[in-house]
Amino acid sequence: MKRFFTFLMAVWALLSISQTVKAADVTVYFQCPKDWRTPVCAYAYGGEGGNPNWDDAPAGSEFYTSKGVKLWKCTFDSKYQFVIFKNDTGDKQYPDGQGFVVKDNHVY
């Protein structure tokens, strides 16, 4: 029984550590132009996150404001400093140059 209790305490300690180490997520919103194909993907880069591959840009989900405005909701790790939005085919992106500075719950 003592071994089992020790095992449980060790597992609990590891779970506690893993929860405190993970960086928080940020959520950003993007109102894409009407001529874009969807879904919209968010390419987050810079900062502690480095520069991942464009192919790793996750697709956002549709989000409607209380006034019925359609936005794209994108969530990613807060370790990134900039974000660029692109359509699903990658032929359109905004902005064209350096990305926007990441701000949690911000609409771009």
Side-chain angles (χ1 to χ4, degrees):
M1 182 70 171
K2 184 177 180 181
R3 283 185 185 173
F4 180 71
F5 181 74
T6 303
F7 172 75
L8 285 179
M9 292 302 294
V11 169
W12 177 80
L14 287 173
L15 289 173
S16 297
I17 291 169
S18 68
Q19 294 299 318
T20 58
V21 171
K22 184 183 181 325
D25 286 340
V26 295
T27 300
V28 297
Y29 301 87
F30 179 68
Q31 185 176 6
C32 71
K34 295 193 186 304
D35 65 337
W36 278 37
R37 289 180 41 145
T38 56
V40 170
C41 300
Y43 173 68
Y45 70 98
E48 294 176 21
N51 296 331
N53 189 316
W54 267 99
D55 295 334
D56 295 333
S61 57
E62 291 182 5
F63 177 85
Y64 289 88
T65 68
S66 59
K67 303 233 185 243
V69 176
K70 181 180 176 182
L71 303 174
W72 286 89
K73 178 180 177 181
C74 303
T75 301
F76 49 85
D77 197 301
S78 65
K79 65 185 176 186
Y80 297 109
Q81 184 178 7
F82 302 105
V83 62
I84 296 174
F85 300 96
K86 66 177 188 166
N87 66 351
D88 67 336
T89 59
D91 63 332
K92 299 196 186 272
Q93 77 174 46
Y94 187 73
D96 287 330
Q98 180 174 325
F100 296 108
V101 174
V102 172
K103 296 179 186 174
D104 194 24
N105 290 314
H106 190 77
V107 178
Y108 299 92

